[in-house]
Amino acid sequence: MAISSQDNAMRTGRATRVFIYVFLLVFALFYLLPFFIMVVNSVKPLGEITGGNMIALPEVWTIEPWLSAWSTAQIGVEPTGLRPYFWNSIKMVVPAVVICTIIGALNGYILTKWRFRGDTFIFGLMLFSCFIPFQIVLIPMARILGILDISGTTSGLVLVHVVYGIGFSTLYFRNYYAAFPTELVRAAQIDGAGFFQIFYRILLPSSGPIAVVCVIWLFTNIWNDFLFGASFASGGAAPMTVALNNLVNSSTGVREYNVHFAGAIMAALPTLLVYIVAGRYFVRGLMAGSVKG
Amino acid sequence: MATDTSVDLRTRLQNWLPKLVLAPSFALVLIFVYGFIVFTIYLSFTDSRMLPSYGLVGWENYSKLFRIREWDVAITNLAIFASLYIVICTVIGLLLAIFLDQKIRGEGVLRPIFLYPMALSFIVTGTAWKWFLDPGIGIENTMHLWGWESFEFNWIKDRNMAIYTIVIAAVWQTSGFVMAMFLAGLRGIDTEILKAAQMDGASNWQMYRRIIIPQLRPAFLSAFVILCHLAIKSYDLVIALTGGGPGNATAVPATFMYSYTFTRNQMGIGASSAVIMLMTIAAIMVPYLYAELREKK
């Protein structure tokens, strides 16, 4: 066998190479097809869908399904479209992400630079909280939201997402700050800098990358959540995912597939946009979620 | 003397500040996670029905739970779903990562295509696949229109096959992510060892089997833990894709818990099913996290 190739890629014959490309392209098709079909069918009149081929391009292009999904489709009992629910999701995601990120940054800073007895244990407790099945907290959470008088509201959902987001945001910032030179912190401390000064002046300015990762992770997770939304905020305060599910599974009338697809794409757009804009960070964020990459 | 105590107070405050700032999060986690877990465990031993009640009934809910046929179905479904999902995702993820690591032209285009489903909500994924798999209008219909009249694919309507359609959609959603984990692992392997092995005349197959794949052990472990965790928690996808049907053919513990707690007014049984789910995840996560945290020290 010939040696001396510089890289560690396989030295492959032509046939193998063709096979690899075909394999990768087939999978690319597999991943793209469902989304392609959703897009194509969201701009077809309903008749073309029920009587026709789902892969074919529309004969008549129409944006009617999109308009309907956005502002007139029947969600539950009201023909409001998805618009109000879209705003519900925004109103839920933005505060939850901001609060969670700030708390995570502070926690990460404390758990790496101000270590004390039992800090690893505390971190362990927080870390495990990321992985519990949320079914275990549904019943008491419903009670607490009732007692606080915020059940069925967006603020209630914000609280829920903040509480169960702290574990992940702390994890990200802790792992990131762990690599940050502690000598810098010690030096500043000797110069008389206090707890918050060190955080603002030394750690925060270099936290950009991890903040992006954390925001992306929280944003996609909270936006995509269904269980909490369905449990604690059905009706008018429901987030987008719950409204979409109601739209698609409503049993009354004709199944307007094109409207369903337009709605599904709307629900997917914010996270897709985040993914396209910050894709590389997105991967890194997901990887960090695996504790060790 | 007076200044001494004020300095002392200041340093003491500084020493307490980190703990004070950490305290609210710690309290939240303690109450909302561990307190709630204890509360749900407690409820699982009570006769709670529509609302929590506090009459203790011992292990009755658990013994009832395991006599309910739907729970049997849910557990069996979870076993089928989780094992297929984990194995198929790992195999596809590993193959894609290895192939993509071969200096492929267009890697920058392919990688995001493999990954984007992970950004979507399971509700969106479920909506897309539900329709795609619907025999009247989806893939089966298309094949008929293309002239393949005998083509049949109605798993989603078939009690015995419906659970496999959930595997398909879930694999579609996460296999790209598993690929990214393996790809990161592959890119982290020391090339010196590989060169040395190449010098010794190792074939590609031998290199992967003997050197590269064994070195991916941490990536395998992470993938396994994450996939297990996703499988046990899976609720959205089942709701969006099949709603647990036909009948209760695709019920999983997550849907079982929800329906017994909130729609069938059997909160005690719902709570005990949640406890079983927690125990299953804890059995996987606790040793893993323990090992991770110890290593970091």
Side-chain angles (χ1 to χ4, degrees), chain B residues 190-203:
Chain B
D190 185 8
T191 52
E192 292 303 316
I193 304 170
L194 300 182
K195 269 183 213 155
Q198 276 187 330
M199 296 277 198
D200 292 343
S203 70

Side-chain angles (χ1 to χ4, degrees), chain B residues 166-200:
Chain B
I166 294 173
V167 176
I168 297 175
V171 165
W172 180 80
Q173 174 114 357
T174 21
S175 48
F177 169 51
V178 177
M179 175 220 64
M181 293 176 66
F182 281 123
L183 198 58
L186 284 173
R187 301 264 150 100
I189 289 176
D190 185 8
T191 52
E192 292 303 316
I193 304 170
L194 300 182
K195 269 183 213 155
Q198 276 187 330
M199 296 277 198
D200 292 343

Side-chain angles (χ1 to χ4, degrees), chain A residues 168-183:
Chain A
F168 269 117
S169 62
T170 302
L171 164 69
Y172 287 142
F173 280 98
R174 180 190 180 267
N175 287 354
Y176 185 77
Y177 288 151
F180 190 90
T182 307
E183 297 80 48

Side-chain angles (χ1 to χ4, degrees), chain B residues 155-276:
Chain B
W155 285 8
I156 202 162
K157 306 261 182 219
D158 182 337
R159 294 188 68 90
N160 297 316
M161 301 307 280
I163 187 72
Y164 299 102
T165 62
I166 294 173
V167 176
I168 297 175
V171 165
W172 180 80
Q173 174 114 357
T174 21
S175 48
F177 169 51
V178 177
M179 175 220 64
M181 293 176 66
F182 281 123
L183 198 58
L186 284 173
R187 301 264 150 100
I189 289 176
D190 185 8
T191 52
E192 292 303 316
I193 304 170
L194 300 182
K195 269 183 213 155
Q198 276 187 330
M199 296 277 198
D200 292 343
S203 70
N204 291 328
W205 167 244
Q206 282 174 324
M207 289 235 296
Y208 272 97
R209 204 170 61 96
R210 297 264 176 80
I211 304 169
I212 299 177
I213 291 178
Q215 285 209 46
L216 289 177
R217 228 180 65 91
F220 272 104
L221 191 63
S222 300
F224 175 76
V225 166
I226 289 188
L227 291 172
C228 266
H229 163 248
L230 282 175
I232 296 170
K233 279 169 72 164
S234 59
Y235 172 75
D236 328 13
L237 185 62
V238 179
I239 291 295
L241 195 59
T242 62
N248 59 18
T250 52
V252 289
T255 59
F256 178 94
M257 185 274 164
Y258 197 92
S259 79
Y260 269 73
T261 307
F262 295 113
T263 56
R264 296 203 193 183
N265 299 331
Q266 297 277 357
M267 192 175 278
I269 292 175
S272 57
S273 70
V275 172
I276 305 272

